């Protein structure tokens, strides 16, 4: 595994994100292979009960950091609104939770992982609304 | 650049997605460094005027593939609903367009890139609704 998974980055022309077959490295001329066919994108947006509470935000972010230890998660990003503002942009959420999985089975496993279930149990009182978008290659 | 950007993957314990400083490779014990502090996540969801039209879907996906050539885009994923279905999951959109940028300035540049503007001009008649979520590190 170690030798076969060694990769070489090819400078600024490389559009990145690589990992264990999750996403294929490409140059600008090879963009069509950017993502593996099985990539599963799970993006969750949270609306807090108390969006002005820095403590509640911190609790949720800390909870998500713990969830990120679930082994099937191949990449994650914990975000907040970026400060952009156009008509089409939803700026009303408090926390963005982006996860990439190698395939749907890994995401299914994550849904019932004890670490994930514990997070829901401990943090569910923090939010009033959750919206999830699950995507696979179009 | 070539030699310094060479990386070694460390087997299954690595949570992936690496690229030119965009996202730091981590093992399970080093998850807190997963993403760079400046990572900008731009996620767009499209609702087609004719969601049953395979032709329109194809046109939009092909348009997005062209947009992916914008140089500041560091990673992209063109998706469709994954077939999951729970109360919190929005399954009503047609296409998901996930972009990662190294920083907000790169995303700002993308917004006015001629390739992007041409795409909007050529494809805007395909969709009836767009929702965007922009996120930076929480």
């Amino acid at each position: 595994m170690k030798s076969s998974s060694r990769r070489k980055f090819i400078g600024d022309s490389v559009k990145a994100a690589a990992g264990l077959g999750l996403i294929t490295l490409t140059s600008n001329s090879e963009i069509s292979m950017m993502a593996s066919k099985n990539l599963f994108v799970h993006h969750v947006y949270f609306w807090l009960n108390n969006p002005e509470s820095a403590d509640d935000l911190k609790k949720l972010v800390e909870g998500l950091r713990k969830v990120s230890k679930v082994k099937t998660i191949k990449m994650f990003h914990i975000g907040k609104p970026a400060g952009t503002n156009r008509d089409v942009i939803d700026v009303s959420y408090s926390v963005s939770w982006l996860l990439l999985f190698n395939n749907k089975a890994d995401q299914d496993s994550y849904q019932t992982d004890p670490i994930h279930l514990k997070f829901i149990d401990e943090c569910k009182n923090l939010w009033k609304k959750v919206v999830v978008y699950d995507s696979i290659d179009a």
Side-chain angles (χ1 to χ4, degrees), chain A residues 7-16 25-30:
Chain A
R7 307 244 184 167
K8 186 179 179 184
F9 289 77
I10 316 164
D12 288 335
S13 69
V14 173
K15 296 210 172 183
L25 281 177
T26 66
S27 71
N28 279 346
S29 59
E30 297 171 315

Side-chain angles (χ1 to χ4, degrees), chain A residues 33-124:
Chain A
M33 288 301 293
M34 191 68 205
S36 80
K37 283 194 177 171
N38 291 321
L39 182 66
F40 191 106
V41 178
H42 177 67
H43 208 154
V44 186
Y45 303 94
F46 295 93
W47 283 259
L48 291 174
N49 274 316
N50 303 304
E52 307 302 325
S53 166
D55 271 0
D56 283 8
L57 176 64
K58 189 179 172 191
K59 281 179 195 166
L60 179 54
V61 169
E62 284 175 354
L64 291 171
R65 289 206 180 280
K66 289 180 191 169
V67 182
S68 67
K69 294 179 191 282
V70 172
K71 295 205 172 184
T72 56
I73 297 171
K74 292 306 173 188
M75 178 256 169
F76 71 91
H77 181 258
I78 304 169
K80 62 181 180 183
T84 52
N85 206 346
R86 300 192 305 281
D87 282 352
V88 292
I89 302 178
D90 189 334
V91 300
S92 64
Y93 70 97
S94 296
V95 173
S96 152
W97 171 233
L98 170 63
L99 297 178
L100 301 189
F101 296 92
N102 275 342
N103 51 59
K104 183 173 184 298
D106 279 1
Q107 197 275 155
D108 291 347
S109 165
Y110 158 78
Q111 287 298 334
T112 55
D113 190 288
I115 296 173
H116 185 206
L117 298 178
K118 187 180 180 196
F119 159 77
I120 295 172
D121 190 47
E122 290 180 350
C123 292
K124 66 186 174 193

